[in-house]
Each structure stands twice: as structure tokens, then as C-alpha cells.
Amino acid sequence: MGRGGAHGAGGPARAARLLDLPPQGAGVSAGALGPQPGDHGGAHAPAAAAGKRRRLPGDCAADPGRDGEPARKRPGAWRQAGRSRAAAEGSPSGAAEPRGLEQNGQRPDGGSAAAERRGKRPSAEPGAPGPVSGGAARRLSRRQRRNKQKNQRRQENELQAGPGGERGAGGRAAAGPDTLGPPGLAAAPLERSAALRARMEERLLAARFRYINQQLYTSTSREAAQLFQSDPEAFEIYHRGFAQQVGRWPENPVHRIVRYLRRRPTSLVVADFGCGDCKIATSVKNKVHSFDLVPLSPLVTVCDMAKVPLADESVDVAVFCLALMGTNLQEILEEANRVLKQGGTLMVAEVASRFEDIRAFVNAMAQLGFKSVSKDLSNAFFHLLEFAKAGPPRRRPATGLRLRPCLYKRR
Ligand code: SAH
């Protein structure tokens, strides 16, 4: 999704750079479907059966690292923390020793508190008089000194870039000491401050994506429609982020649905609820009604999926591919029931970790008039459920119709 020319200024490469986000949305093999502690809270049945819960690349809010990497793989993370601490502690260099980490005997630079202790006088050994304080305790290894110097240089460069890192036309700083020095010397700091700026931009966009995503999963479909109407840029940001997330999965569920439709008669009429960039409509020969809140493609009919402009019992296949987002799930699925012909197919592809209790969900679907035909829980990122319309919905709350919001953690 989001893939496609409608992404406007900057294009996909820029979008990819700016929205490097964690793939916390999805996917699991049957054994790893469960939520994680602090994730959606609660245990996923297959995971529970397996006796343990793997961290999955696609789990919603499962991955605390930034940009799809676990935090421990982020060499910059400790530095950031160290710098903030340094600032808070008034360190002029910004090269604070990572004291918090020292407590665990760990050093971000790969060293350890133990290594530091090795450099201490015997008096610091167990049984000797108490720990050496002040300067002696802070004796730094050669590696730590190098890191400290590096941090100092970095901070100086950031200062040279000026507030906001303003730049002149040629990518050089508009003003500042580095413009006065020899060009060779100025280039490296400038590059570094440009990189810093890009990183900040990236984080801002990632934060916006997380916010919009959260809005979509925690509000009704009507509120989501209002959000995108009042802020079309929000839609663009959301779709860039979405595309990036799903692009990291080994398989995109929309391709599974396309393959499924290609095996069925082309005469079947399809309704794609929350169609995004209309991948389905552009991939099959069937007549496809594509519904979304904002048109990423001219094929989109703009509407709230809880109220689509289709006659009763007019479609053969209704699809929700990663699109069951609003909190008014029942209303949305009742709408799908309304437009589906008796015996028609409902396909639901949804992020695996969103399901609290798959059996309860399937039972709730039965109350809404959908009989389970098949469940494919084999993908680590998403579940693919097929239902057939058995009749009209029972007009009362379908208990068990719960999906966790697919939220992303800040990385
Ligand atoms: N099905 C597509 C897109 C999934 S992203 C795919 O798999 O590639 C979810 C899509 O649902 C987004 O495009 C979002 O705009 C849309 N959506 C969310 N709430 C909606 C609503 N209430 N009505 C219509 N579309 C909605």
C-alpha cells in the first residue's frame, strides 16, 4: 500500500527513509500467534499451547527496537541516552559515561564494568576498603576515551550547524565557524549534522505515523473518516508507514487474497473494504468495488466502510485485508453482511497478534451471520479467515468480537 504514485512529494524512496518503522503489526505461524506481555496483554492460544511466546517481527507493539531492529542492535541508542544524561547532569562534553548501564556491568561500547574494575587499584577489590570515588573511579579505558572524544566532536558539530541546523543552498551551513575553515575540514561536520537532521525528521514522521495508526485503531470508523478529511496529509503519512510495515513481512496478505480470487470465477463481484491502493482491483479480472476513506487510486470509492454505497445482497465476495480498524467492528461487519449475497464469501486477513481469542472471534462472527469455512493461522504475521454468509446478523452485541489495536511502540 501506500505504494503507488499517490504518495506525493518525495516519492517512495524518501518515504522509506523517513518512515523507517518497526514491523510490529503482524504475523505468526500457528504456534506464535499470541500477544506478548506489554504488547496486547494476554496470551495467544497457540502460543500458550507451545508454552512460550516468540517475539515476532510482525507483532503489534511487540518490537521495542527502532526501525525493525531490536534495541540492542542500535549502536546509537546508548549514545543518545548517554548524551541526554550528560545534558541533564550538566556535562559540558555531552560524553557522559553511561552510568545506568554500568550498574548492570554492561557497557555500550562493548566493554564492561568488570573491565573497568580490572584497571583499578587492588584497594577496590572485594574485602579492601570501599570503592574509590571521584576521578579514580572514572578512569577510562582507551576505547572509552575514544568514544568520549567522538561524542565531544559530535556535539561540537551539532552546535556548529546552528539552531535547526540551517543550511545554505549548496548544502553547506548558512553560517558558522565551519564555513570559514578549509572546505575539507568543514565537509565532515556538515555531513554529520545533515544526518542528524534527517534522523530527527525520520523520528518525527515515525511518531506521527504511530499517532495516526493509534487513532485509527482506537476510534470509530466515522471518527477515522473525520480525521482523514480534516488532515489529508495524515492519510499520506499513514499509508507510507503502513506500506513500510507490510513491506517487511515475508508475505503480504493481499497477495494471498488475490491468489484466492484468481482461483474463483471471474464473474464474482468483489467488495474490498479498506482497499488502500486497490491492489485487488488491479490484480484480478473480477468487478471489484474498492472502498476507502481517501482515494489512493482513481478506482477508490471514498466512503466509510460502515456505510458503503452498494445495494443489499449485491456482491459475492467481501474482503477486509488488514482493514478491520474501527472500534465499531460489529457495525462494519453487519454492513458486509448486508451487501453480501446469501452464501457469499467473507475474507478477513488480520494481524495475528490482534486476535485475543480466535475461537471467540469465530463464534461472534457466527452471531453476525458468518459461518466459518476455513482458518489459515500458518503465517507468522497474519491470520486469514474465510467465512460464508449463512444469514442476516442477529441484532445484538456479538460478544467475543474483539481485536486488539495494532499499536507501535516508540523505538
Ligand atoms: N487492504 C489494503 C489496505 C490496508 S490498510 C491492503 O491490504 O493493502 C487499511 C486501510 O483501511 C487503509 O487504507 C485505511 O484508510 C482503510 N480504512 C480504515 N478505516 C476505514 C473506514 N472506516 N472506511 C474505509 N476505509 C477505511
Side-chain angles (χ1 to χ4, degrees):
M1 298 252 353
R3 23 211 197 224
H7 284 148
R14 178 176 153 81
R17 181 176 62 76
L18 295 181
L19 271 159
D20 197 12
L21 289 154
Q24 291 148 349
V28 195
S29 67
L33 302 170
Q36 301 171 27
D39 182 356
H40 293 301
H44 216 279
K52 63 180 177 198
R53 174 64 165 86
R54 277 187 286 143
R55 165 159 289 170
L56 294 159
D59 283 350
C60 292
D63 188 344
R66 181 172 52 94
D67 307 338
E69 281 177 274
R72 67 188 147 75
K73 287 192 186 162
R74 288 184 286 120
W78 68 270
R79 273 192 232 117
Q80 200 71 27
R83 272 210 299 281
S84 323
R85 261 196 305 280
E89 291 163 11
S91 161
S93 66
E97 284 92 33
R99 287 182 205 153
L101 294 177
E102 269 181 63
Q103 287 163 5
N104 301 327
Q106 292 170 328
R107 283 300 169 87
D109 59 6
S112 67
E116 184 171 320
R117 275 197 299 276
R118 278 198 292 277
K120 283 183 184 170
R121 293 172 303 176
S123 63
E125 295 292 327
V132 179
S133 65
R138 288 172 147 250
R139 195 172 299 148
L140 302 178
S141 71
R142 195 190 298 170
R143 191 169 190 173
Q144 287 168 329
R145 267 201 310 279
R146 271 207 310 270
N147 278 337
K148 191 169 179 172
Q149 284 161 0
K150 220 155 78 186
N151 281 337
Q152 267 168 344
R153 281 199 301 275
R154 181 177 296 115
Q155 207 187 41
E156 282 159 20
N157 294 336
E158 285 165 12
L159 288 174
Q160 281 174 5
E166 296 88 344
R167 290 181 170 280
R172 289 182 56 82
D178 55 341
T179 56
L180 303 173
L185 288 179
L190 281 174
E191 268 167 33
R192 277 198 290 268
S193 69
L196 177 79
R197 192 176 178 174
R199 254 198 333 267
M200 297 316 289
E201 228 179 281
E202 177 188 314
R203 285 188 185 176
L204 277 176
L205 271 177
R208 259 199 99 185
F209 167 74
R210 283 194 303 274
Y211 175 75
I212 297 162
N213 182 68
Q214 182 172 343
Q215 298 293 300
L216 293 177
Y217 280 110
T218 56
S219 56
T220 65
S221 61
R222 269 174 295 282
E223 288 161 345
Q226 280 157 16
L227 169 75
F228 286 150
Q229 265 161 25
S230 62
D231 184 4
E233 198 198 11
F235 187 75
E236 197 180 305
I237 290 172
Y238 171 75
H239 269 275
R240 286 180 192 173
F242 171 81
Q244 201 164 38
Q245 294 300 306
V246 179
R248 290 200 173 105
W249 299 1
E251 186 180 24
N252 185 334
V254 83
H255 296 146
R256 288 283 295 279
I257 290 171
V258 165
R259 285 210 299 278
Y260 165 83
L261 288 172
R262 284 181 179 159
R263 289 197 300 270
R264 302 204 54 198
T266 54
S267 56
L268 298 180
V269 177
V270 179
D272 185 3
F273 290 75
C275 60
D277 62 357
C278 299
K279 186 79 84 239
I280 293 177
T282 54
S283 308
V284 299
K285 293 191 178 132
N286 307 57
K287 165 77 189 155
V288 180
H289 299 281
S290 304
F291 301 116
D292 210 300
L293 294 171
V294 178
L296 270 184
S297 144
L299 296 172
V300 174
T301 300
V302 174
C303 66
D304 175 0
M305 62 168 81
K307 200 168 180 357
V308 297
L310 286 178
D312 294 357
E313 310 210 346
S314 57
V315 306
D316 300 286
V317 183
V319 174
F320 290 88
C321 185
L322 305 178
L324 282 175
M325 306 182 91
T327 52
N328 52 331
L329 270 188
Q330 177 158 349
E331 193 186 344
I332 291 166
L333 288 163
E334 282 172 358
E335 181 67 348
N337 184 297
R338 180 185 73 77
V339 302
L340 263 181
K341 294 175 186 169
Q342 181 71 17
T345 301
L346 173 67
M347 298 294 294
V348 173
E350 204 40 82
V351 173
S353 57
R354 293 195 63 201
F355 290 89
E356 276 177 37
D357 178 346
I358 194 97
R359 190 182 295 181
F361 185 85
V362 168
N363 287 341
M365 291 296 281
Q367 294 169 47
L368 295 175
F370 297 112
K371 181 172 157 277
S372 175
V373 173
S374 70
K375 295 194 287 283
D376 183 347
L377 313 182
S378 64
N379 191 287
F381 289 75
F382 58 86
H383 288 344
L384 192 55
L385 311 178
E386 180 184 350
F387 300 91
K389 176 174 167 178
R394 288 181 227 154
R395 299 274 170 187
R396 57 182 142 103
T399 48
L401 190 72
R402 275 194 307 275
L403 290 173
R404 298 187 185 95
C406 180
L407 305 180
Y408 299 90
K409 282 184 179 168
R410 197 169 89 77
R411 310 156 105 332

